[in-house]
Amino acid sequence: MIIVLKPNVDQAAIDQVTLHVAELGYAPRVIQGVERTIVAAVGDELSNRSLETLQGLEPVATVIPIQKRYKVASRECRPEDSRVMIGHYPLGAGAFQVISGPCAIESRKQFMTAVQHLTACGVRIIRGGAYKPRTSPYDFQGLAEEGLELLAEAKAKFGVSVVTEVVGVTHVEKVAAVADMLQIGARNCQNYHLLECVASAGRPVLLKRGMATTIEEWISAGEYLLVNGCPDVVLCERGIRTFETATRGTLDVGAIAVAKQETHLPIVVDPSHAAGRRALVLPMALAGIAAGADGIIVEAHPDPVNALSDAAQQWPSDQFASFMEAVRPLVALMGKKLG
Ligand code: PEP
Ligand code: MN
């Protein structure tokens, strides 16, 4: 950590800062310039207390962290790509998966029809929300336990693995009893209490990036899962909030490239929530693959127009073959194996 002091501070002010730095467990080194004085705090920023509290001291202008907030998730810790097993199916380290299914599970007929269409195109991992976090509290919130039963039925009938979202700590156990991977939605990316609970549920976790989380915060949330006992974390870029209104979110393709360099964790791209409109889903999916994604999670519905949630962005499941054919050559070009 580097602590930059305000211009022309006196020796008493410098002593005040160095004393605080030492009290927090770091060794202070004072570097005196012509106008500015800098205090370098030597010590492990991960195990010592944060020095950001120094920002509150009168002589301090800025506090600049040097170390990253994460360690176990980093490439320095594990240089090779991690692979996560989602049920029987691998994701990462060269294994690419297209995960698809409706935004929400709405009925047996809707869900089973979608699963049938998708598995016929080679999809092996199905998504489907039983519990839905919604932007408006008046929107459809999902079938809850009935949705979980339908997920179990689809697994038994089609041999698929399933991914579904956990929205609260009280649901973790019953969702984990069915799901092969637990999804943490964008709205809960930094809900650390929920992350602790899902980390110890014995299932892989798909961690969506929050709409306003930095890449470092997103990877740090992944680190939180790892250090709390979940060895199988998959990161998901799903678009962030920006000033742009032409798309629902802004797909941060750069974040995929950064995360691939910074971490060993598999990365999945969600073009559906970033696009918000069907016509943009495929180009965004391709952009994500080109940036290094290890998989796609894409919404598909047998009757998108009448979908109870995210109607505009869902791919018609009976036409999913066209999506698969469009992504297949690029996955191969990126040196990955689909399925
Ligand atoms: C979803 O996957 O349907 C969903 C709600 O996604 P997000 O949390 O990214 O908005
Ligand atoms: Mn959705």
Side-chain angles (χ1 to χ4, degrees):
M1 210 63 85
I2 301 288
I3 301 120
V4 182
L5 305 190
K6 289 178 182 161
N8 308 313
V9 290
D10 59 16
Q11 189 57 45
I14 298 170
D15 292 344
Q16 183 196 4
V17 174
T18 54
L19 184 67
H20 267 84
V21 169
E23 275 173 4
L24 289 167
Y26 298 82
R29 304 263 186 278
V30 179
I31 304 152
Q32 225 138 8
V34 182
E35 258 187 51
R36 294 267 190 175
T37 299
I38 288 169
V39 179
V42 183
D44 186 359
E45 290 171 28
L46 284 174
S47 46
N48 282 318
R49 279 177 58 198
S50 168
L51 284 164
E52 271 154 19
T53 50
L54 294 173
Q55 193 77 63
L57 295 181
E58 170 48 34
V60 173
T62 38
V63 177
I64 306 163
I66 303 293
Q67 265 178 276
K68 305 248 172 60
R69 292 254 180 233
Y70 48 86
K71 194 180 230 162
V72 192
S74 72
R75 283 253 180 227
E76 286 84 48
C77 185
R78 185 186 151 91
E80 66 275 23
D81 285 350
S82 286
R83 174 170 286 183
V84 170
M85 292 304 294
I86 305 166
H88 299 301
Y89 307 115
L91 174 77
F96 191 97
Q97 294 293 342
V98 175
I99 304 168
S100 186
C103 177
I105 301 169
E106 300 167 6
S107 66
R108 167 176 283 114
K109 185 160 178 282
Q110 171 255 12
F111 189 57
M112 295 306 161
T113 307
V115 178
Q116 195 206 327
H117 288 155
L118 296 168
T119 49
C121 302
V123 173
R124 293 182 164 87
I125 307 173
I126 295 291
R127 59 150 291 148
Y131 297 91
K132 294 305 299 174
R134 302 307 305 280
T135 305
S136 160
Y138 304 110
D139 288 341
F140 176 60
Q141 309 262 334
L143 294 182
E145 287 180 26
E146 196 187 330
L148 296 179
E149 283 162 20
L150 292 170
L151 284 165
E153 194 178 318
K155 283 176 67 161
K157 212 159 156 181
F158 294 93
V160 290
S161 290
V162 298
V163 182
T164 196
E165 182 166 350
V166 180
V167 294
V169 292
T170 52
H171 304 147
V172 174
E173 216 173 304
K174 53 186 173 202
V175 176
V178 177
D180 299 285
M181 178 155 70
L182 305 175
Q183 177 174 323
I184 292 291
R187 291 156 193 79
N188 278 316
C189 177
Q190 291 177 297
N191 181 342
Y192 291 120
H193 186 49
L194 181 59
L195 296 185
E196 276 169 34
C197 293
V198 298
S200 52
R203 298 285 188 192
V205 176
L206 179 71
L207 178 66
K208 291 225 180 174
R209 181 179 178 191
M211 292 175 217
T213 52
T214 64
I215 298 170
E216 188 179 46
E217 287 165 345
W218 174 43
I219 298 174
S220 300
E223 171 105 352
Y224 200 75
L225 289 166
L226 292 170
V227 299
N228 276 285
C230 174
D232 298 314
V233 177
V234 178
L235 299 174
C236 176
E237 163 59 36
R238 47 80 70 206
I240 51 172
R241 279 255 167 101
T242 68
F243 52 83
E244 186 54 71
T245 54
T247 48
R248 181 178 178 184
T250 295
L251 182 67
D252 190 357
V253 175
I256 299 170
V258 171
K260 282 306 293 180
Q261 283 187 5
E262 286 285 317
T263 88
H264 54 85
L265 303 175
I267 322 281
V268 161
V269 61
D270 173 350
S272 306
H273 292 87
R277 283 188 284 137
R278 198 145 49 248
L280 301 175
V281 169
L282 180 59
M284 287 189 173
L286 295 173
I289 302 169
D294 302 288
I296 305 174
I297 182 162
V298 57
E299 291 185 342
H301 191 289
D303 182 15
V305 178
N306 291 305
L308 296 182
S309 60
D310 290 350
Q313 70 197 31
Q314 303 208 54
W315 199 276
S317 55
D318 61 348
Q319 290 162 39
F320 202 71
S322 61
F323 184 90
M324 290 298 270
E325 288 324 304
V327 301
R328 202 180 288 281
L330 186 56
V331 172
L333 189 68
M334 296 300 291
K336 289 171 185 160
K337 194 171 174 296
L338 183 61

